[in-house]
Amino acid sequence: MTATRTAPVTEANTPQRKRGAALEDAIREAAYAELTEVGYTAFSVEGVAARARTGKASIYRRWPTKQDLVTDALCTGLPTPAQCGMPFEPDDSVTTADALRTVARTIARVITSPAGDAVRAIKCEAAADPELAQLIDDRFQAPRRAALLGLLQRGVERGEVRPDAVTALVADVIPAVLTHRVILQREPLGEADITAIIEQVFIPLIEAR
């Protein structure tokens, strides 16, 4: 009887273990994926370690707490303002209403993406964690607020918006309505929905009288 020969284990057929910066990048990516897929409550270092194909000890040496890891993963994974199309600078032929529709489409696209899933996953936690809440606002909410304030001021100069409507409170209305529909009502955001939100809610709120 001929003995079965086992192929030798070589570098060619053995996955290479990540180290240093490559390992840290893999852990951050794994943590971001874990957060978007299972949420903050079910997020676990064990799950991240399995995704990154490393041990928990390697993670804890770099990120002592779950919060440290989540915060770092969010800083790396959340889109930058430029990637969100912010700021938006329309040419003179674009009305305030049309400019607002463009911004609303951008916001809707982001909040229905994995980035939106990640932000929603840690919203409740952020309510009790000022540092985490500030991170989310700085990276995710402040750029769109600034873009909307810029469009509102532009609208004032064009005679399309009331001067007293250029406030952070008013600028937060569009994101709040869009987020409400996605998170609480769990409804899709199509072009007709965005148009209705702009024309039925936002334009009456800001238009010059």
Side-chain angles (χ1 to χ4, degrees), residues 8-120:
V9 177
T10 66
E11 291 187 0
N13 57 25
T14 302
Q16 295 297 300
R17 184 181 179 86
K18 291 184 175 65
R19 299 180 184 280
L23 175 59
E24 292 179 359
D25 288 343
I27 293 171
R28 290 188 188 96
E29 290 174 7
Y32 189 74
E34 179 87 354
L35 185 65
T36 60
E37 291 180 23
V38 308
Y40 186 86
T41 301
F43 180 98
S44 68
V45 173
E46 291 84 353
V48 175
R51 290 174 186 268
R53 298 184 179 182
T54 189
K56 290 191 296 182
S58 296
I59 296 176
Y60 282 121
R61 278 198 298 271
R62 295 165 172 82
W63 296 275
T65 69
K66 169 182 171 178
Q67 181 184 354
D68 291 335
L69 178 56
V70 168
T71 301
D72 202 7
L74 285 172
C75 286
T76 303
L78 288 179
T80 64
Q83 290 170 332
C84 293
M86 305 290 183
F88 172 60
E89 298 178 357
D91 60 47
D92 291 339
S93 65
V94 179
T95 66
T96 297
D98 287 338
L100 290 171
R101 288 189 191 94
T102 297
V103 171
R105 291 188 197 101
T106 299
I107 294 171
R109 185 174 67 249
V110 173
I111 64 177
T112 54
S113 72
D117 292 338
V119 172
R120 289 194 295 276

Side-chain angles (χ1 to χ4, degrees), residues 177-193:
V177 174
L178 294 172
T179 302
H180 174 80
R181 286 182 64 91
V182 171
I183 296 178
L184 297 182
Q185 296 182 309
R186 298 188 178 278
E187 295 182 2
L189 284 171
E191 185 63 27
D193 301 302

Side-chain angles (χ1 to χ4, degrees), residues 99-162:
L100 290 171
R101 288 189 191 94
T102 297
V103 171
R105 291 188 197 101
T106 299
I107 294 171
R109 185 174 67 249
V110 173
I111 64 177
T112 54
S113 72
D117 292 338
V119 172
R120 289 194 295 276
I122 50 82
K123 275 288 188 179
C124 291
E125 183 68 19
D129 186 333
E131 184 178 341
L132 188 57
Q134 189 65 52
L135 167 68
I136 294 302
D137 190 76
D138 289 345
R139 186 66 179 270
F140 198 71
Q141 294 167 180
R144 66 190 185 192
R145 185 183 302 119
L148 285 164
L149 283 170
L151 289 181
L152 291 175
Q153 183 58 47
R154 173 182 178 271
V156 170
E157 296 164 4
R158 293 167 60 92
E160 297 169 342
V161 175
R162 301 191 324 277

